[in-house]
Each structure stands twice: as structure tokens, then as C-alpha cells.
Amino acid sequence: MLNPRERIERQMAAPWFVRMHRRLSALKSVATVMQTGAHPDDEQNGLLAYLRMELGMRVIIACSTRGEGGQNALGPERLGALGVIRSRELEEAARVIDADVHWLGHGPADLIHDFGFSKDGDRTFDRWGEARIVERLVRAYRKERPDIVIPTFLDVPGQHGHHRAMTRAAKTAISLAADTSAFPEHFSEGLTPWKVAKFYLPAWSGGGDTYDDEVPPPETTLVIAAEGKEQATGAQYDRIGEWSRYYHASQGMGHWPKDPQVFWQLHLETGENGDREEATIADNLPASLLDLAEHPGLDPDLVKALREADEAIASAISAFPARQLIEASLLEAATLLQHVDETAGQEFRDLHGHRIMRKRAQLDAAILTAIDIFERAYVEPAEMRPGGQAFLHVEFSASPSTYEVDVTPVLPSGVSSSVETLGQATVFSLLAEKDVSVSGLYQPVWNAMGGNGHASVRVSAKIGARTVTASFDLEEPFFISPALSLTLAPDALLVPLGASAPQLGFKALARGDETALSFKATDGWKVRKSGDDWVVERTGEAVAGLVSLDAHTGSHAAFQVTPIAYPHIGRARFLAPSKLRILSLDMKLPAGARVGYVGGGADNVGSWLGRMGLDVTELDAQALSGDLTSYTTIVVGIFAFGIRSDLAAATAKLHRFVEQGGHLVTLYHRPSDGWDPQSTPVRRLEIGKPSLRWRVTDPHAEVTVLSPDHPLLVGPNVISDEDWAGWDKERGLYFAARWDDAYEPLLAMHDVNEQPLKGALISGRFGKGRHTHTSLVLHHQMDKLVPGAFRLMANLVQPA
């Protein structure tokens, strides 16, 4: 349940004046525009804000992945957990611009997922399957029925391969969506062929700090001028777009444009009539109720109803913010469109029925906003387990007796409800069956009009002779969680091969129902209870490799529920099987190393250093400002200079630490992470831009050792070809491009058909000490338990 401050912040962020204006502006148009992209944050939020809030078009963001293969500037969440965060970020970003979201991919277990960086669309299709992503786009076109499709990026060299693949697939899907012989299985689901009227390409370059389009964009055929300000907020549309991008915080988004963008150039690639001479994006489209009234052969009575409904909507918009006048005009329009919906012929319904149906839903939502009866709904507790009970509270800002109000809970299968109390608040008792399914992590759609999440409410109010109904979201997400959440601490153990038969302890922290806990035995290892803790023992000969011991509660696999909470997205959670992983490896630790770790919360390196058996201390602001001479090595985690102001302030002190004999190890940073090439490193070290040119995306790319006898590569572990095997996702990114002559590059690597890059690992002597900078994704490889990453890290933290 939200605390009072959170509720106050929610109300301040969405006052009635703004909500009402948004409901009204959505009634201007019956056209739909879909923007296709590969990742959350790909969307052109300022452009979409203008199309939705000024032109009144329905806006849909179709996103192929959950962003689970990217980075996280907020915390340590990676892969599936990051996908949960970035999904929520896009949904909240969409809420700001009143857009819908249609997800094409459903997390890391789906073949269409974010597998990291790709430089080529064909390589992306190798992973996704071109036919698979095209089929999902065809399904999206047929379900959502967009009049306009606009990809976010161009399919050109120098662009992210995921972007290139999505743009190509978005175009391919257009002809197939209209083809009665393509994907006939869709028709058994109630879908019908749909013809997208216009397909635009962005007529701007996607280059910048990250990408580097090698060819110029196509010619501009239409310029969208997003001039003026939104009436309700007084903000330019591009600024509203940045309000939306603010929610992509895990990607460091949300900037204040000194000069908001006003013009967006588009290139009409394919159109209904092939004519590229357009005055507006709505040209040649059925964009309004008046356009629908021009449908050939339409009954004069329906023509009259459509025109009068358009007039009534215009009256409501001009009456803003007078509630009673708005309500009366909207009720009139709703009655007229109901008549159209119920009496129009089949030809009109096939072509435009979805527009009338959506406009009716928008009118109902606007009417309920005008009377301002709904306050909020929440479930307490917001998380239920099988067989559990909770209470759904629905509160009203006006007495329900003012209107005849009905509330219907929308609940997961296996959860029943019964009314407990009525009055200013309606309270339902919820009961989950013992075999109820656990809530999924990634839902397929998100609707700006409400009704999202695993539970929501439908509110109906009778106003005069008319009943209006709309969906409302709960104030925080509702989940069905496993009966027991099991957390292993730690969940992974490192065992050097040279150690005698070890007995390693760990804790199994259970939350929920009391159930017998066991671990599935595996060759060479057994687990037993020891007091309140558990002990894992090696029973056979020491063998290098990774084993996994699955935890069970009773006869079922155990799961760990990890809560996720950030102010901009609220509460969420990640669900994963609970298992103990044991990595046996040949790893030696540097003698006498005392490591200080400075993290920004974006990696787990500090924890891994401790599990490796090193003497490590995590340095907070107070420790960083104190005496550092007790440490032989200080490791700075990814992004940390951009996240921790105390670290940036201690830069000169770290330089002295090196000069006096310390070893400073900096893990990769983006140019935007507070990294000044002249002052952040000990000597000049420039990170390459655009970053697409300064990374190696193939995790199996050959690694050439440039300095085989360098101390960081020969001791205490001799780094060999075996240490570069089994890497996941990529070798590294944000490689150093240029550096002071005092630094020495130790490795070279490259993607196919590219020149070798030498900035993945460089090191130099300064005074009595050393500074080493690496752009290898060691933090990710350690999370994936890649042996070579631990062996190399052991070398990197050796005393200078």
C-alpha cells in the first residue's frame, strides 16, 4: 500500500484539470499511429506527445524487447530483473504522453529478447528469427489497426542491429497484414486483415554519442511542426516528451532541452495513394468523425449522427473546464455514437467499427473523469499467496449515492471476491485458491485508458438514463506470488581447485508457508542442514566446472521473489528458480592484496571480490575521505564517477594514492558518467564515441595478447586462451580510444570485418603505483560465473 507521501505525489502529478484536458484531447481524432522500436526508450516521445495531445491521435508504442540485455544506471539488476524495470519504465513513460504499449517480446526466455548489442540486422534475425518477429508485427497491426506506422530508426550501417531488424520487419509486415493468405491462424482468433495506410521513415540521422549512421537519411516529404504549448500544462510538446523520457531512469534518460525540438522530418515510404505531397500527417486518412461521415453510401441518419457527435465533442472541448457543460456535451456524443455503433452496416463496421468502439470507450472515460467520482483502488496486502486472503478497497471522491455506481473487480483466474462493505468506500474480500497460478512477469499490453496489471477495477455510473463505464488501475501492482520465497545467501559459491575438500556454509532464508526444504543432489556434491544454516560438501574428486543444485519445497521447485522498488516506477518484483550454483576453478589470489571497492550500485563486483576470498572493504563516502594507505588496490565500479559525487570529489586523492604506490583499477564508464578524459584518470584517457565503434559485441571474438609477459597477465594466474572461453553477451564496450603514452594496451580484439581495438585493457605505471582501466564486461561475466573473469580479476587487483 502506498504511504501518504506517495499518494500526495501521485495526486500532485495528475490533477483533475490535466486529466480532464487529456481525456478531451483524445476525442479529436479517430486515427491511430504506431511507432515501432526495439527497446524501451527508443520512442520519439516529443513527436508522440504532439500527435496524441495536439492532434488527438491514438498513439501505440510497439516494442520488440524488454531491454533486458542492456545496462542499469540505477542498481545491480540485470537480465530478467532489468527487463521488469525497463518494462515498467516504458509503461510509466507511456502514461505521461497517454500512449498505449504493445509488447512483441516477453522477456529473456522468449526468443525475441534483448541479447545485448548487435551491429547488423541480419545477425539480429539470426537470434530472433525474421519470420517470427514479422509474424508478431502482423498480429500487432491486425489487432491495433494503426493507420500510420513510424519506425524509430533507419536500417543503415552504423545503427544498432536490433533497430535495423525492427525497421525492416515493420515494413515487411505491412503487406502481409493486408494479405488474406498470410498467417491464417490469426483469423481463428478473431483478427482480420488490415491495411496500414502510411509507412514513414525518420528523415533524420540516428547518429550521436552511441550510433553513427553511415548514410544520410532519406529525403523529407513531410515536416511536422509541433509548435505551441499544451493548454493544460503550458509546456512545449518536446518538454512533455522529456517528462516521459524521465522515466527511463535506468538508462540515464530525462534531460532538459534548452531549446525544445519543434520540427520532425518524416519520409513517406509507402502511402495509400503513393502521393508524397502532404500538408499534414492526417492527409488522406479517416482522421475525424466528419471524415467517417463521408463514407460512401452511408445512411443519411448515420451521417447526421456522426456530424452531430463531432459537434458535441467540439462543444465539450470548448467548454473546458466547465464540468457540467462538458458532461452534458459528452453524454450527447455518447448517445449519438451508440446509435451509429448499433445500426451501421457491415461494410462500415468492418472498416471503421474499431474507431467507433474506441471513441465510445474514450467518451465514457471522459464522462467519469468529468464527474470525478473515482478516487483510488488498492489491494491490501498487494501480494497474495495461494490460499491467501486480501482486501480490495475502492474509494470515491464523491458519495456513490450521488449516482448509481457499480464496481466490478477484474481479477486473475483462481481469485474470487465478495463485497464486505459499501459506502464512501467499497471493500471486497479476495480469496486465492490453493492452486492459483503465480502472476507472470511480463504482460503483453499496457493501455493508457486503464485496466492494467494482474488486477484492476471496472467502475460504472448511471447518469440520467445513461450508464457509463471505464477501467481503472490499482494504485500499486497486485501479484500472486509463490507460497514460499526462498533466498539463498550467497546463491553462488567459488571453490578453488587447490583447496582441500571444502565444507561451505550458506543460509536459506524462507518467507511464506512452512514447507520442507531440500536440495537436489548432484554428482560430487551434497547439501545438509547444520543448525540454522546449510553446508555443501564435495564428495568426489575436485573437477573444474559449474554445478547447480536446485532447491525444492516439498515436491515443487522453489522460487526466489526479489522485490524491486524505485520511486519512478513504484514496486515490482522478479521471480526466478532458487538454486545454489558452485563454480570450481583454478584460481590463485594475489599475495598481500587489501582491496577497497568503490561501487555505484550498478554491479555486484564488491560482493564477488569478497566471495573470491579477497580482503575487501566497500568504501562509503566517509571511508573514501579518510586514510587510503591501508589498501593496496582500489577498484572503482561501473558508472561510479557519474553516480557518486563523493568519488568525483576524491579524484585528486585517488591520483595521489597511485603516485604513492597504490593500484587504481577503473571498470568501464560511459563518456557521460562524469568521465573527464583529462582529469578523471591519472593521465589522459579518452573513451571512444560513438560507442558503436568502440565495442566488441561478439562474446567469442578472438583475443590477441599484445604484452604476453605483462605482470597483470602472468600472475598470480597465467591468462591463456581458455580464460576467454564461455563469455556471455559481449567482450566489452566503451573502449578507450586514445590515451597518454604512459598507458600500455594489453589486448586487441574486434568484431568480424572490423579493425582491431586495443582499448579493452590498458595499464600504466605512475610514480610508485599503477592505474589500470578495463572496458571488458567483467561484472557481467562474474554474474554469469565465467571462470576466466575471476582469474583475470584476481590478477587486476594485485598490488602495484
Side-chain angles (χ1 to χ4, degrees):
M1 190 168 69
L2 298 187
N3 61 46
R5 291 192 64 84
E6 289 171 326
R7 286 195 175 128
I8 290 170
E9 290 165 356
R10 291 279 183 93
Q11 190 172 49
M12 289 192 302
W16 177 88
F17 191 89
V18 173
R19 287 185 287 116
M20 188 71 252
H21 190 271
R22 299 274 170 85
R23 294 293 195 198
L24 291 172
S25 67
L27 300 172
K28 294 180 183 179
S29 177
V30 295
T32 295
V33 59
M34 175 183 284
Q35 183 153 66
T36 60
H39 319 99
D41 79 20
D42 280 353
E43 67 275 10
Q44 282 286 331
N45 306 67
L47 171 62
L48 297 183
Y50 175 78
L51 296 177
R52 164 57 196 85
M53 295 172 186
E54 178 60 30
L55 302 189
M57 292 182 171
R58 180 193 179 197
V59 168
I60 306 168
I61 300 166
C63 190
S64 62
T65 78
R66 305 295 178 132
E68 60 270 57
Q71 304 167 76
N72 184 1
L74 295 179
E77 295 89 357
R78 292 287 182 277
L79 301 176
L82 178 58
V84 170
I85 291 173
R86 296 192 68 184
S87 296
R88 287 289 301 120
E89 287 183 331
L90 180 54
E91 291 164 356
E92 291 303 316
R95 189 191 304 276
V96 173
I97 57 175
D98 205 32
D100 297 341
V101 180
H102 187 111
W103 295 103
L104 302 169
H106 310 297
D110 188 2
L111 285 172
I112 297 176
H113 67 277
D114 183 355
F115 54 85
F117 205 90
S118 166
K119 297 178 181 177
D120 187 279
D122 290 333
R123 301 292 77 76
T124 300
F125 284 144
D126 288 345
R127 297 285 294 269
W128 289 356
E130 183 172 5
R132 183 178 295 107
I133 187 62
V134 167
E135 183 274 331
R136 294 193 189 183
L137 277 162
V138 169
R139 185 186 297 272
Y141 292 170
R142 289 173 172 175
K143 180 181 178 182
E144 308 292 0
R145 299 196 156 200
D147 300 288
I148 301 166
V149 170
I150 310 173
T152 49
F153 293 94
L154 296 169
D155 176 19
V156 296
Q159 187 53 243
H160 196 317
H162 296 179
H163 298 162
R164 299 184 65 181
M166 272 300 290
T167 298
R168 197 183 313 169
K171 183 176 180 179
T172 302
I174 286 178
S175 59
L176 293 174
D179 187 344
T180 57
S181 64
F183 307 110
E185 65 272 20
H186 293 179
F187 308 140
S188 63
E189 302 168 15
L191 300 177
T192 56
W194 177 251
K195 174 64 176 176
V196 174
K198 296 182 182 183
F199 180 76
Y200 291 96
L201 290 174
W204 61 79
S205 172
D209 287 347
T210 303
Y211 311 121
D212 182 23
D213 291 2
E214 291 184 7
V215 298
E219 65 171 335
T220 298
T221 62
L222 175 69
V223 176
I224 294 182
E227 297 173 299
K229 300 179 179 181
E230 188 199 25
Q231 180 185 1
T233 59
Q236 296 100 326
Y237 294 102
D238 192 39
R239 289 261 167 83
I240 295 174
E242 287 302 321
W243 297 355
S244 176
R245 297 195 70 74
Y246 159 87
Y247 284 93
H248 294 300
S250 70
Q251 305 306 295
M253 301 292 178
H255 304 287
W256 182 259
K258 182 179 179 182
D259 298 308
Q261 185 172 344
V262 174
F263 300 103
W264 277 269
Q265 292 80 30
L266 296 176
H267 171 82
L268 182 60
E269 181 78 359
T270 59
E272 189 74 3
N273 57 12
D275 184 6
R276 292 182 176 175
E277 295 295 327
E278 299 179 292
T280 74
I281 196 172
D283 282 4
N284 306 313
L285 292 180
S288 69
L289 293 177
L290 292 179
D291 292 334
L292 299 189
E294 300 298 321
H295 182 77
L298 190 63
D299 185 280
D301 177 56
L302 297 182
V303 171
K304 180 174 180 289
L306 286 168
R307 290 175 176 171
E308 289 180 353
D310 185 80
E311 291 175 3
I313 289 172
S315 296
I317 293 172
S318 63
F320 178 79
R323 298 184 189 224
Q324 291 183 336
L325 293 176
I326 292 172
E327 177 188 339
S329 295
L330 295 181
L331 286 168
E332 179 186 357
T335 300
L336 290 163
L337 288 188
Q338 180 180 353
H339 172 64
V340 173
D341 198 13
E342 293 174 350
T343 60
Q346 192 61 46
E347 181 189 4
F348 180 88
R349 293 174 64 84
D350 288 344
L351 191 58
H352 299 305
H354 66 287
R355 306 181 199 276
I356 300 299
M357 182 171 63
R358 181 166 186 83
K359 202 56 56 185
R360 291 186 62 190
Q362 289 174 329
L363 282 164
D364 275 14
I367 293 167
L368 279 178
T369 302
I371 66 175
D372 198 24
I373 188 173
F374 176 80
E375 180 76 24
R376 62 192 175 100
Y378 61 94
V379 174
E380 188 179 14
E383 181 180 344
M384 287 182 72
R385 297 187 180 90
Q389 186 178 23
F391 293 92
L392 168 61
H393 300 255
V394 184
E395 298 179 0
F396 301 95
S397 51
S399 172
S401 62
T402 307
Y403 305 94
E404 188 177 325
V405 174
D406 181 63
V407 180
T408 304
V410 180
L411 302 169
S413 176
V415 178
S416 59
S417 66
S418 58
V419 176
E420 290 284 319
T421 61
L422 292 170
Q424 190 74 10
T426 301
V427 181
F428 295 88
S429 175
L430 308 183
L431 183 64
E433 298 174 0
K434 290 190 177 296
D435 58 352
V436 65
S437 297
V438 172
S439 300
L441 294 173
Y442 312 99
Q443 294 190 281
V445 295
W446 190 89
N447 195 317
M449 290 178 63
N452 301 295
H454 298 290
S456 58
V457 295
R458 294 274 291 171
V459 176
S460 298
K462 189 170 185 181
I463 306 172
R466 182 164 199 82
T467 299
V468 296
T469 304
S471 296
F472 293 91
D473 295 344
L474 304 183
E475 67 176 11
E476 68 173 329
F478 168 81
F479 302 108
I480 299 292
S481 290
L484 179 141
S485 173
L486 180 67
T487 301
L488 305 182
D491 64 350
L493 300 170
L494 302 178
V495 183
L497 288 179
S500 57
Q503 292 189 7
L504 303 170
F506 67 96
K507 294 183 180 295
L509 309 173
R511 182 171 64 90
D513 296 348
E514 290 292 334
T515 310
L517 176 63
S518 63
F519 289 86
K520 185 177 180 180
T522 187
D523 291 344
W525 297 92
K526 68 177 182 179
V527 179
R528 61 179 173 82
K529 192 79 181 290
S530 176
D532 293 333
D533 296 336
W534 292 77
V535 172
V536 59
E537 296 176 294
R538 189 164 63 205
T539 59
E541 185 178 349
V543 177
L546 177 66
V547 298
S548 180
L549 286 73
D550 295 337
H552 285 75
T553 54
S555 59
H556 300 285
F559 286 86
Q560 177 178 346
V561 180
T562 303
I564 296 171
Y566 289 101
H568 67 303
I569 59 170
R571 299 174 182 89
R573 72 1 168 189
F574 181 66
L575 185 71
S578 187
K579 57 182 63 180
L580 178 69
R581 299 171 297 162
I582 306 171
L583 176 64
S584 300
L585 74 166
D586 180 10
M587 179 184 67
K588 300 177 180 63
L589 299 179
R594 299 181 305 280
V595 182
Y597 175 69
V598 186
D603 61 48
N604 298 310
V605 171
S607 172
W608 283 121
L609 293 172
R611 290 193 231 180
M612 288 167 63
L614 288 160
D615 178 0
V616 59
T617 301
E618 299 215 19
L619 304 181
D620 57 17
Q622 181 176 357
L624 195 59
S625 65
D627 183 10
L628 301 179
T629 58
S630 61
Y631 305 105
T632 64
T633 309
I634 292 178
V635 178
V636 177
I638 65 172
F639 307 156
F641 278 102
I643 295 173
R644 289 184 53 170
S645 58
D646 61 310
L647 173 61
T651 301
K653 187 175 184 179
L654 291 176
H655 293 179
R656 289 195 298 274
F657 168 79
V658 171
E659 297 283 352
Q660 294 168 5
H663 188 183
L664 174 65
V665 180
T666 49
L667 307 186
Y668 81 73
H669 277 63
R670 299 167 295 193
S672 59
D673 291 323
W675 187 275
D676 185 321
Q678 301 295 335
S679 61
T680 304
V682 181
R683 295 290 188 276
R684 182 180 63 86
L685 194 163
E686 183 178 340
I687 299 168
K689 294 190 295 186
S691 66
L692 175 136
R693 304 295 184 192
W694 300 95
R695 62 175 73 204
V696 176
T697 62
D698 181 359
H700 312 298
E702 182 180 357
V703 177
T704 300
V705 177
L706 301 177
S707 182
D709 297 326
H710 195 279
L712 295 182
L713 300 178
V714 297
N717 304 288
V718 178
I719 302 302
S720 67
D721 290 345
E722 293 182 1
D723 292 297
W724 304 110
W727 280 48
D728 181 74
K729 194 170 76 166
E730 58 204 342
R731 288 291 191 203
L733 65 170
Y734 305 109
F735 282 22
R738 287 161 288 277
W739 48 81
D740 187 275
D741 290 342
Y743 289 105
E744 178 184 3
L746 306 184
L747 307 172
M749 59 192 74
H750 62 91
D751 281 323
V752 65
N753 298 325
E754 294 185 1
Q755 294 299 311
L757 298 175
K758 299 181 179 180
L761 178 62
I762 65 175
S763 186
R765 298 283 307 199
F766 303 96
K768 298 178 181 179
R770 177 180 295 280
H771 174 214
T772 300
H773 181 75
T774 181
S775 298
L776 298 168
V777 288
L778 292 175
H779 73 289
H780 177 79
Q781 308 309 323
M782 295 166 87
D783 286 346
K784 301 296 286 188
L785 294 178
V786 176
F790 292 101
R791 287 167 44 84
L792 180 58
M793 182 63 82
N795 285 15
L796 296 185
V797 299
Q798 65 182 277

